Amino acid sequence: MRLTAGPEHAGERLDAVLAEPLGSRTRAARLIAAGSVTVGGRTVAKRHIVTAGEEIAVEDAAIEAEKPPSLDDVIDPDAPVAEYTVAYEDEHLLVVDKPAGVVVHPARGHWQGTLAQALSGTAAGGEDEWRAGIVHRLDKDTSGLLVVAKSDAVHAQLKTALQARDITREYLALVEGRPTARSGTIDAPIGRDRHARTRHSIDTDQPRDARTHFTIEQVLPRYTLLRVTLETGRTHQIRVHLQAIKLPIAGDPEYGREGLLGLERQFLHATTLAFTHPVTGAAVQCVSPLPDDLVAALAAAA
């Protein structure tokens, strides 16, 4: 898809200019972040200010890959329903405890059995009906807590709180080796890896700010259990950042060594979620204990 920016686009951000032709500003931002959009033949950030006459191109393949089928095509009544438990719920929102193996919303290769489909009729809000109510996500094989809205207004408020870093997200991660300090911050931009498009990395042509904080929770002979807090929320952020400081997460098939300690996935669990309720103003804090497979791996590491 190609378009030439007109006078009416001058002074606008790139993601705003592409919002209409791509269906939403959120979708435009995702494609820009993935490096699928060029301006004058070069990749730029979503905040790029457009000038009249600039040539903007979006890869056709990326558009099709990003676009899911309609809900009527995606929702199969005979498909398995994603399992989850509810850690907190009221009329405005719910906090879901997602098991490993469940994809949060439909995407290429995972059209069926997602959390978003299981929450259809309960969750609501946001620009994309195929992931209604979803405020943030977890990787398929990362377990734990995430908050889901039940209306447009609450979804918008939770998104704003997330961007303002007013939602606390803590994880437990078992890593190979040991940090050189009891606590620390990894401040390194992340984007698509220069050499492997399915991976994310600090070695990237599309860097986006990313900060991860960690403290030592438990020291084991060859491993360390870390409590990790996200300041930003980039794809695979914790996995990429810990691998970058030579502390790969145990069992991580993409950024570490698969199968360690009998693990069938990475040892990463979203254990704590805390925020101020956008409607009532009450403090909401949910804690999820380690699931059985991670408890067994931790015992094997002792």
Side-chain angles (χ1 to χ4, degrees):
M1 184 183 79
R2 295 180 180 276
L3 62 92
T4 302
E8 70 277 13
H9 300 129
E12 289 192 22
R13 283 170 46 131
L14 179 60
D15 55 349
V17 170
L18 289 175
E20 183 175 350
L22 290 176
S24 77
R25 189 164 178 168
T26 300
R27 187 174 175 216
R30 282 198 301 272
L31 288 168
I32 294 165
S36 300
V37 178
T38 58
V39 178
R42 61 188 180 90
T43 56
V44 295
K46 66 181 180 180
R47 67 180 67 89
H48 170 78
I49 302 302
V50 172
T51 302
E54 284 186 317
E55 296 291 332
I56 302 170
V58 185
E59 295 175 9
D60 289 339
I63 294 173
E64 290 307 311
E66 172 74 11
K67 182 181 179 182
S70 69
L71 278 187
D72 289 340
D73 294 331
V74 168
I75 296 176
D76 178 356
D78 297 323
V81 177
E83 295 182 1
Y84 65 92
T85 57
V86 176
Y88 172 89
E89 184 173 15
D90 61 24
E91 62 185 302
H92 306 289
L93 57 87
L94 69 160
V95 176
V96 171
D97 198 339
K98 182 189 84 68
V102 172
V103 176
V104 172
H105 59 69
R108 182 174 52 176
H110 298 285
W111 298 127
Q112 303 289 347
T114 69
L115 179 64
Q117 290 159 322
L119 292 169
S120 178
T122 299
E127 298 175 327
D128 302 313
E129 63 170 347
W130 47 276
R131 56 175 186 175
I134 302 297
V135 176
H136 59 109
R137 56 181 292 279
L138 297 174
D139 295 338
K140 175 186 175 184
D141 289 325
T142 297
S143 52
L145 302 169
L146 66 162
V147 63
V148 180
K150 292 187 176 182
S151 69
D152 269 320
V154 170
H155 184 272
Q157 289 171 292
L158 287 170
K159 274 288 193 183
T160 298
L162 189 69
Q163 291 165 0
R165 301 165 189 160
D166 291 333
I167 297 179
T168 298
R169 292 172 290 166
E170 288 186 353
Y171 296 72
L172 288 174
L174 185 69
V175 299
E176 296 183 64
R178 190 170 304 167
T180 56
R182 294 290 305 176
S183 62
T185 296
I186 309 165
D187 188 346
I190 290 174
R192 291 253 180 213
D193 187 272
R194 284 191 174 100
H195 310 291
R197 297 293 293 170
T198 60
R199 290 166 56 96
H200 289 74
S201 172
I202 62 173
D203 181 17
T204 179
D205 291 321
Q206 296 98 33
R208 304 179 69 192
D209 287 347
R211 281 171 298 281
T212 303
H213 309 286
F214 67 85
T215 58
I216 292 178
E217 188 82 3
Q218 184 178 354
V219 175
L220 301 161
R222 297 176 58 189
Y223 298 87
T224 307
L225 184 65
L226 301 179
R227 184 169 295 271
V228 182
T229 304
L230 284 178
E231 186 174 326
T232 55
R234 308 306 178 202
T235 301
H236 298 175
Q237 178 173 321
I238 295 174
R239 300 163 67 188
V240 170
H241 268 172
L242 291 175
Q243 189 246 8
I245 62 169
K246 304 187 186 310
L247 295 172
I249 296 177
D252 192 329
E254 190 73 36
Y255 301 98
R257 291 195 290 166
E258 187 174 8
L260 291 179
L261 303 171
L263 287 161
E264 296 183 358
R265 50 114 169 190
Q266 64 266 10
F267 192 120
L268 184 60
H269 180 68
T271 186
T272 304
L273 189 66
F275 56 92
T276 299
H277 196 291
V279 177
T280 67
V284 177
Q285 178 167 325
C286 298
V287 177
S288 171
L290 285 175
D292 291 345
D293 64 328
L294 301 190
V295 170
L298 192 60

